[in-house]
Amino acid sequence: ILLLNRVGMVDSATKSQLAKIPLLSVKAGPRDADTWPARLKEEYQALIQYVKNNKDADNDWFRLESNREGTKWFGRCWVFENNVKYEFEIEFDTPVTYPSTAPEIAIPELDGKTAKMYRGGRICLTDHFKPLWARNVPKFGIAHAMALGLAPWLAVEIPDLISKGIVVAKN
């Protein structure tokens, strides 16, 4: 959290929310057969705590699960705008160089609909999130990527896409 204060890119509410997400300690990726299960356990514990925190704050906004190995993640996220729910499928792979490399979260159905997205619907996190991630290896995990990567991206991009008529409610 101290690094976030120094960077000044996170508001006080986000800092408070982030402080409640457990930091991780095991520096292991999918290739590390001996230590990856321990890292994966930490990931699940942090995600469970983050989801619990969100539900307690009436801010439930995603569901996420992985394959058995913890290398492929998938789920749904949603945003409410003007009392209308907009829901999207999300997916990402755990990079082989994880946790040194942050996951690249994708929303495939929005592929090509905004400049702040790469091929395959991967959201652009390069300028703000990736440097923050790099300074916090191995403490940050998937829960942090959701809180500091996907959540702010959705908060900025989805209302803009709605206002332009690019994203419409599915009824």
Side-chain angles (χ1 to χ4, degrees):
I1 301 301
L2 292 173
L3 291 174
L4 295 174
N5 291 337
R6 206 172 25 178
V7 184
M9 69 172 267
V10 179
D11 64 26
S12 60
T14 304
K15 287 177 192 172
S16 172
Q17 196 179 45
L18 195 61
K20 296 175 186 174
I21 302 173
L23 295 176
L24 288 70
S25 62
V26 178
K27 188 174 182 180
R31 290 182 179 176
D32 302 310
D34 294 340
T35 51
W36 176 240
R39 173 66 186 214
L40 199 52
K41 181 178 178 182
E42 285 186 334
E43 294 284 358
Y44 287 130
Q45 289 171 335
L47 275 165
I48 289 166
Q49 185 62 52
Y50 181 46
V51 168
K52 182 186 179 309
N53 297 345
N54 286 340
K55 286 183 178 184
D56 291 348
D58 195 27
N59 186 30
D60 188 28
W61 64 275
F62 74 92
R63 293 286 177 271
L64 191 63
E65 58 186 286
S66 75
N67 64 1
R68 182 182 166 106
E69 298 79 22
T71 56
K72 294 195 180 297
W73 295 79
F74 46 92
R76 300 193 68 73
C77 64
W78 51 90
V79 174
F80 284 91
E81 183 71 18
N82 298 320
N83 294 320
V84 178
K85 184 177 184 180
Y86 297 86
E87 194 166 349
F88 309 96
E89 289 187 20
I90 54 175
E91 62 185 40
F92 59 91
D93 293 338
T94 306
V96 293
T97 55
Y98 189 82
S100 297
T101 303
E104 294 183 331
I105 302 168
I107 307 173
E109 66 195 272
L110 297 181
D111 188 16
K113 295 186 177 181
T114 172
K116 294 183 180 165
M117 185 168 271
Y118 301 115
R119 186 180 311 191
R122 292 176 292 126
I123 65 172
C124 177
L125 298 174
T126 309
D127 293 340
H128 304 289
F129 177 68
K130 287 192 179 180
L132 183 60
W133 179 278
R135 287 191 297 274
N136 284 281
V137 171
K139 296 181 286 258
F140 277 8
I142 292 165
H144 300 88
M146 298 297 282
L148 293 170
L150 183 59
W153 190 93
L154 290 169
V156 170
E157 290 302 309
I158 298 305
D160 183 56
L161 293 171
I162 293 167
S163 72
K164 293 176 180 173
I166 296 170
V167 169
V168 294
K170 300 172 189 169
N171 287 336

